[in-house]
Amino acid sequence: VDVEAKVNNNDAKTVQTLERQVFKQLIKLPYYGVFDHIAFKVDGNNVTLYGKVANATNKKTAERTVERIAGVGNVVNNIEILPLSGFD
């Protein structure tokens, strides 16, 4: 039982570390703006991106940035691109 608890504890620490790294990289995106919202979920070494962004550049940049993080195995990009408004 102690071995299982230790493995689960290590997995939890790994997920927390990965979550921190993903968060730090996403907040540093160069064109992230007021109308962008990106959320993520870490499941093991898989990261799923959610949210809405104003342009395709932010969607692709977020995916590429997360893919480069050590420990990330697979990235699922479910980010939606917001439609242009009448003022754009």
Side-chain angles (χ1 to χ4, degrees), residues 30-74:
Y31 301 108
Y32 192 85
V34 173
F35 300 106
D36 299 322
H37 171 73
I38 299 176
F40 64 92
K41 176 183 172 189
V42 176
D43 184 21
N45 66 347
N46 299 319
V47 178
T48 304
L49 299 172
Y50 301 98
K52 296 182 181 189
V53 293
N55 60 54
T57 302
N58 285 345
K59 177 179 179 173
K60 196 62 178 171
T61 303
E63 181 179 355
R64 284 190 200 134
T65 300
V66 173
E67 286 175 339
R68 293 183 187 139
I69 297 172
V72 172
N74 185 34

Side-chain angles (χ1 to χ4, degrees), residues 4-17 44:
E4 288 179 21
K6 198 176 262 191
V7 168
N8 289 339
N9 193 21
N10 287 340
D11 288 343
K13 285 182 182 178
T14 302
V15 168
Q16 287 175 345
T17 301

Side-chain angles (χ1 to χ4, degrees), residues 11-30:
D11 288 343
K13 285 182 182 178
T14 302
V15 168
Q16 287 175 345
T17 301
L18 200 53
E19 286 174 344
R20 277 194 303 271
Q21 291 174 346
V22 170
F23 175 76
K24 285 180 181 181
Q25 292 303 314
L26 288 177
I27 62 172
K28 291 194 272 184
L29 291 175

